[in-house]
Amino acid sequence: MKTPTALIPVAHGSESLETIVMVNVLRRAEVEVTVASVENELVVSGTRGVRLHADKRLLETLGHKYQLIALPGGEKGAEALNRHAPLIEMLQEQNDLKHWLAAICAAPALTLAPHHLLDGRQATCYPAFKARLPHYVDKPVVVDGHCVTSQGPGTAMAFALILVELLAGPAKSREVAAGLLV
């Protein structure tokens, strides 16, 4: 069986807790995770002064197909992701191919919704941004079609475990959760 792959784009202002939880939990499930900076540098300043070290620049990932592209939140980070045209093209292609798209916190509202990637879908986000979603649902994690959204730092673990389930199966998700004492 082929190793599942995931791309996690980051920018200055990306929510550090959400990013780290996604990367950590997916890697525990043996998903091949690539953290890619949309900035010129590989080290970005996440929230709360946490430095996030990307594996490569996003431009180096162009043309590569991932089973999942997962966006961390953080208002400034999500806005930066939204302004990065090559990332938006990747997200649109991911959507067209019906491969997994995921976003948490501000990213559903500030990165996916402006590019119509949530049209016709139920989704959730950080509650302060709910008016920006076409069909907001007040749940910690929402899966609609091939799109997964979540509300914020407090829901990051549940979000990441659902991503594991979708990429590697329910047994792997349960195994990772048990190891984390979830």
Side-chain angles (χ1 to χ4, degrees):
M1 187 169 157
K2 191 175 176 192
T3 302
T5 58
L7 176 69
I8 300 178
V10 294
H12 292 304
S14 287
E15 171 53 56
S16 53
L17 189 144
E18 295 162 359
T19 304
I20 291 166
V21 168
M22 282 193 291
V23 172
N24 187 298
V25 171
L26 288 167
R27 286 185 176 162
R28 284 173 187 260
E30 301 171 5
V31 173
E32 183 183 309
V33 177
T34 301
V35 180
S37 172
V38 301
E39 309 291 350
N40 291 326
E41 52 275 344
L42 290 177
V43 178
V44 300
S45 300
T47 57
R48 310 298 179 275
V50 175
R51 293 179 176 267
L52 302 170
H53 295 260
D55 302 308
K56 53 180 68 174
R57 287 174 190 80
L58 185 95
L59 295 177
E60 296 171 55
T61 69
L62 299 180
H64 188 82
K65 303 290 184 249
Y66 296 90
Q67 288 172 274
L68 165 70
I69 299 177
L71 308 177
E75 186 172 0
K76 289 181 182 176
E79 288 171 344
L81 297 179
N82 179 52
R83 291 189 302 270
H84 197 269
L87 173 61
I88 300 308
E89 288 176 27
M90 288 178 79
L91 293 169
Q92 290 168 334
E93 182 178 357
Q94 188 84 352
N95 186 54
D96 292 345
L97 293 171
K98 298 194 180 339
H99 291 179
W100 291 108
L101 284 174
I104 186 169
C105 193
L110 301 182
T111 310
L112 297 182
H115 299 283
H116 306 286
L117 294 166
L118 296 177
D119 289 1
R121 292 190 174 118
Q122 294 186 350
T124 195
C125 66
Y126 195 78
F129 300 108
K130 68 184 182 182
R132 298 183 186 207
L133 296 187
H135 303 285
Y136 176 79
V137 178
D138 187 13
K139 289 185 178 176
V141 181
V142 174
V143 180
D144 189 340
H146 55 275
C147 187
V148 185
T149 54
S150 189
Q151 291 182 319
T155 64
M157 184 66 70
F159 176 64
L161 288 168
I162 285 175
L163 297 179
V164 168
E165 182 177 336
L166 296 171
L167 292 177
K172 181 58 87 172
S173 183
R174 286 191 300 275
E175 174 189 319
V176 171
L180 292 166
L181 304 178
V182 175

